[in-house]
Amino acid sequence: MSTELAQSAATALTLQPGSGAPTAVRRYWHPTDKDWLSVPAHGNQPTAAQLQGYGYQTPTGPQFYVSLVGNSDMVEVSRWWHPADKDWIDMPAGMASDTQMANWGYQNKTFQYYAFPTQRTGTVAVYRWWHPTDKDWLTVRDGEFTDAQLQSFGYQNKTLLFYAFAQQSPTTDLGYFALGTPQKSVLSPVSWSGSGDHPHTFSVLEVNPTQSPSINQGFRYIGYYGHHNCSGLGIARTNDLNTTAWTQESTPLFSGTGERWGNALLNPDNTIGLVHNVYWCGGNPDGGAYYIVGRKSTDGINGTQFTSFVPLVKEMTVINGNPTLFRDPDTQTVYLYWFRDANGRKEIRVKSAATFDALLQTSPSDLGTLIAYSHDVVASPQVIKVGSLYYLAVETLEQNNVWKTRVLTAAAPTAQFFEIPAGPLYGNGSACVFQHVFGSTLHTYFGNEGTPGVSNWTLDHVSAPLP
């Protein structure tokens, strides 16, 4: 069974997309500045210890729950600082322009999270109240206090901001699968990569289930791995996904043009489709940004010889990276997901074709459909389907330069994806998740940075039973 397919008998999880959110927002009080500050627990925000160091007191329990990765159904929420009033104010996009905020004396616009502009099941209204004596805006969820209580405290000018989830999840289901204990370092640096460029991504296919000696050197699985820098793409093989004894080729599959991030797909004609980046570390002869290419094996499911690369997504001044492939088990449509840095907004996009061959014929200027994005880093998309839901894993870079992994779900491959309540997953330092479904088991390979910012990456593996 190929890596992107799930068993058709797998049952859907009960938690539907957009019914909960992972990140708690808590309110802190600064007695000197007389400032209430509501801050999400995740993302590029001060930690509780840092806030206490700034003079804010220990918060109460969560006010509401939000997402750090948004979509077109949601609204971006930022906070602004007013130095004269010594006050932070929460402001959803569209309520006032940046110019207006600056004219009113606000500065230091800081992205916070995504919420909903209109009410949906499970959400409650979140308001802003003004205290003229303290010169303080208070963000409060409906039900925390009555209007009469807030007015008795001296607050006025109640203003609706947005809607957010009152609970992390409407059920006990957090929306993902029970991951086991990770195996560390399933692949090692090789002579052609050097000791400083670590295996980082791993796309695995089952090409020889009977272990015929004439196919894939007799191995059941073939994997294509990339590095955290640009030494190239390599091949590894095994008969057991739960072992660290992968046999790595002594020479690279591709190197010399900044190849990175290989992802493979088994085609119905017993060939292998492969997508990856080129010129990731610079050197593009066009003088432009790195971009996404595709190619097809010319030795069938042995997968060691490929056609020349064809550009799939390419822009001169905008980077497009982290390409991954997914074939929908229901329609057999082939989807290409990728990351795009759109002038500060980090986007996850997807485009599709009836076959991999047809995908190779798509225009590199076709930017497909926008399905998720963030003001902060969100990249490395990877999709599987289990039951009726599509699971999109992405990496984020959060507090204190720590890589994390978040998972989103949708009811269709090109629908808007929503974060599940369980995030972040896979542990601190985890990024570049490659989810694979074989039978009734999820096998995931991911990069893990042991020390933030040091690039001491290992390629780790973890599995989980599927429903």
Side-chain angles (χ1 to χ4, degrees), residues 366-382:
D366 176 7
L367 297 180
T369 302
L370 178 64
I371 58 171
Y373 53 80
S374 181
H375 181 82
D376 287 340
V377 170
V378 57
S380 307
Q382 219 281 332

Side-chain angles (χ1 to χ4, degrees), residues 207-220 237 301-302:
V207 295
N208 187 15
T210 62
Q211 297 180 42
S212 167
S214 63
I215 300 173
N216 192 37
Q217 300 181 13
F219 288 97
R220 182 173 181 176
R237 299 178 178 90
I301 55 178
N302 280 313

Side-chain angles (χ1 to χ4, degrees), residues 7-279:
Q7 288 276 32
S8 59
T11 58
L13 296 181
T14 58
L15 194 64
Q16 293 303 302
S19 59
T23 299
V25 175
R26 292 179 172 86
R27 187 171 54 241
Y28 295 77
W29 170 247
H30 197 296
T32 303
D33 293 346
K34 297 187 180 300
D35 174 47
W36 285 109
L37 171 63
S38 292
V39 180
H42 301 143
N44 287 300
Q45 305 295 327
T47 64
Q50 288 171 327
L51 286 167
Q52 290 169 19
Y54 301 152
Y56 286 92
Q57 296 179 344
T58 303
T60 57
Q63 293 183 270
F64 47 87
Y65 292 85
V66 295
S67 296
L68 297 187
V69 183
N71 60 46
S72 61
D73 288 351
M74 307 173 82
V75 62
E76 181 177 311
V77 180
S78 300
R79 69 171 183 267
W80 292 75
W81 173 248
H82 198 293
D85 294 345
K86 295 187 178 300
D87 173 55
W88 287 101
I89 183 175
D90 287 325
M91 183 68 65
M95 181 168 283
S97 69
D98 289 2
T99 299
Q100 287 175 312
M101 296 297 292
N103 290 339
W104 294 334
Y106 288 94
Q107 58 189 40
N108 296 352
K109 181 181 181 181
T110 303
F111 168 71
Q112 296 245 86
Y113 47 77
Y114 292 93
F116 295 95
T118 57
Q119 190 164 23
R120 58 189 289 136
T121 302
T123 64
V124 294
V126 177
Y127 297 95
R128 188 175 64 223
W129 289 76
W130 171 248
H131 197 294
T133 303
D134 293 345
K135 296 188 180 298
D136 173 58
W137 286 105
L138 168 72
T139 297
V140 59
R141 186 201 74 228
D142 194 20
E144 287 190 84
F145 303 97
T146 66
D147 288 4
Q149 285 176 311
L150 288 167
Q151 289 166 354
S152 71
F153 299 154
Y155 287 94
Q156 59 188 42
N157 295 355
K158 178 183 180 182
T159 304
L160 175 66
L161 295 177
F162 50 78
Y163 294 86
F165 290 107
Q167 297 176 305
Q168 186 178 20
S169 170
T171 69
T172 58
D173 185 358
L174 294 180
Y176 202 58
F177 315 105
L179 299 172
T181 301
Q183 295 173 297
K184 299 292 291 184
S185 301
V186 298
L187 295 180
S188 302
V190 289
S191 59
W192 53 267
S193 68
S195 60
D197 201 4
H198 304 284
H200 193 66
T201 62
F202 203 24
S203 178
V204 179
L205 301 175
E206 183 182 28
V207 295
N208 187 15
T210 62
Q211 297 180 42
S212 167
S214 63
I215 300 173
N216 192 37
Q217 300 181 13
F219 288 97
R220 182 173 181 176
Y221 301 97
I222 187 170
Y224 298 91
Y225 66 93
H227 295 79
H228 78 283
N229 286 319
C230 296
S231 56
L233 303 182
I235 290 177
R237 299 178 178 90
T238 191
N239 289 318
D240 182 4
L241 296 176
N242 292 310
T243 183
T244 58
W246 285 82
T247 299
Q248 296 172 247
E249 284 283 341
S250 60
T251 57
L253 174 63
F254 303 116
S255 64
T257 55
E259 297 91 349
R260 195 174 187 268
W261 202 272
N263 186 261
L265 182 76
L266 188 61
N267 294 313
D269 63 355
N270 284 329
T271 62
I272 292 173
L274 184 68
V275 294
H276 59 87
N277 274 117
V278 288
Y279 307 112

Side-chain angles (χ1 to χ4, degrees), residues 316-432:
M316 282 296 293
T317 60
V318 178
I319 60 175
N320 290 273
N322 305 157
T324 57
L325 295 167
F326 167 72
R327 179 179 284 110
D328 193 305
D330 298 327
T331 66
Q332 300 303 304
T333 301
V334 175
Y335 293 88
L336 172 69
Y337 295 84
W338 77 95
F339 149 79
R340 179 174 185 263
D341 191 343
N343 298 317
R345 185 174 74 173
K346 311 303 188 292
E347 300 180 342
I348 304 299
R349 289 184 168 268
V350 58
K351 68 177 181 178
S352 65
T355 64
F356 182 75
D357 286 342
L359 183 68
L360 292 177
Q361 301 301 314
T362 59
S363 170
S365 63
D366 176 7
L367 297 180
T369 302
L370 178 64
I371 58 171
Y373 53 80
S374 181
H375 181 82
D376 287 340
V377 170
V378 57
S380 307
Q382 219 281 332
V383 171
I384 58 172
K385 186 182 184 190
V386 178
S388 63
L389 296 183
Y390 297 83
Y391 292 80
L392 166 67
V394 297
E395 67 180 14
T396 56
L397 186 60
E398 302 188 26
Q399 293 160 333
N400 299 322
N401 206 33
V402 176
W403 290 101
K404 296 179 183 282
T405 294
R406 296 180 175 273
V407 174
L408 300 84
T409 59
T414 60
Q416 298 300 295
F417 278 76
F418 295 88
E419 271 200 80
I420 61 172
L425 293 156
Y426 292 94
N428 287 342
S430 299
C432 307

